[in-house]
C-alpha cells in the first residue's frame, strides 16, 4: 500500500508540473466550509492568488482523502509541506482566493 501511495503521489506531481501548476510551501492550517477543505499556508513568503496561500479540495475521492490524512499529519506535527494547485484563482465563497489542490508533499527537514 505504501508503494502504491508513493507511486500515486509521484505520478500526480509529474502531471501537475506538466499542467502549469501554482506551487507554494509552508506550514499548514486547515479549515472546512460547505464540504470543502481549505488549506492555508504560512511561513513561506510565496503568494498564489489574492492575499494568501490557499488551496481547496473536496474529500470525495480516495486520493483526496489520502491528501486530507497527509495534511492533517503535517498540521499536527508542524511539518512544512509543498503543494501544487491547478486551474484559475477561485475568489468566490468559500474559496477566498484559492487554487484547487492537485497534490502535496511533506517536507522532511
Amino acid at each position: 500500500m505504501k508503494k502504491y501511495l508513493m507511486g500515486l503521489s509521484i505520478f500526480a506531481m509529474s502531471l501537475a508540473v506538466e499542467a502549469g501548476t501554482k506551487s507554494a510551501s509552508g506550514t499548514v492550517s486547515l479549515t472546512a466550509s460547505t464540504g470543502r477543505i481549505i488549506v492555508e499556508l504560512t511561513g513561506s513568503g510565496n503568494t498564489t492568488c489574492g492575499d494568501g496561500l490557499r488551496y481547496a479540495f473536496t474529500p470525495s475521492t480516495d486520493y483526496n482523502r489520502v491528501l486530507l490524512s497527509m495534511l492533517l499529519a503535517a498540521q499536527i506535527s508542524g511539518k512544512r509541506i509543498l503543494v501544487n494547485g491547478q486551474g484559475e484563482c477561485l475568489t468566490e465563497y468559500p474559496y477566498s482566493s484559492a487554487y484547487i489542490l492537485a497534490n502535496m508533499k511533506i517536507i522532511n527537514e
Side-chain angles (χ1 to χ4, degrees):
M1 180 69 166
K2 188 174 182 179
K3 285 184 180 181
Y4 170 75
L5 292 177
M6 181 190 286
L8 185 61
S9 177
I10 291 169
F11 174 72
M13 289 190 88
S14 67
L15 287 178
V17 169
E18 292 173 12
T21 61
K22 313 331 183 235
S23 299
S25 64
T27 55
V28 64
S29 175
L30 300 175
T31 57
S33 180
T34 62
R36 291 166 183 85
I37 304 298
I38 309 297
V39 179
E40 188 160 357
L41 300 177
T42 57
S44 71
N46 300 330
T47 58
T48 54
C49 62
D51 62 350
L53 297 163
R54 292 187 189 92
Y55 296 83
F57 69 101
T58 57
S60 57
T61 65
D62 286 342
Y63 179 77
N64 285 355
R65 286 187 283 274
V66 169
L67 286 177
L68 178 58
S69 295
M70 292 172 65
L71 287 164
L72 288 168
Q75 180 176 336
I76 290 168
S77 66
K79 294 274 188 176
R80 292 176 52 83
I81 63 169
L82 172 66
V83 295
N84 290 305
Q86 63 187 10
E88 298 298 317
C89 180
L90 302 170
T91 56
E92 70 275 358
Y93 179 82
Y95 298 107
S96 301
S97 300
Y99 290 110
I100 298 299
L101 182 68
N103 54 61
M104 59 136 327
K105 176 184 178 180
I106 298 174
I107 301 171
N108 290 319
E109 295 177 339

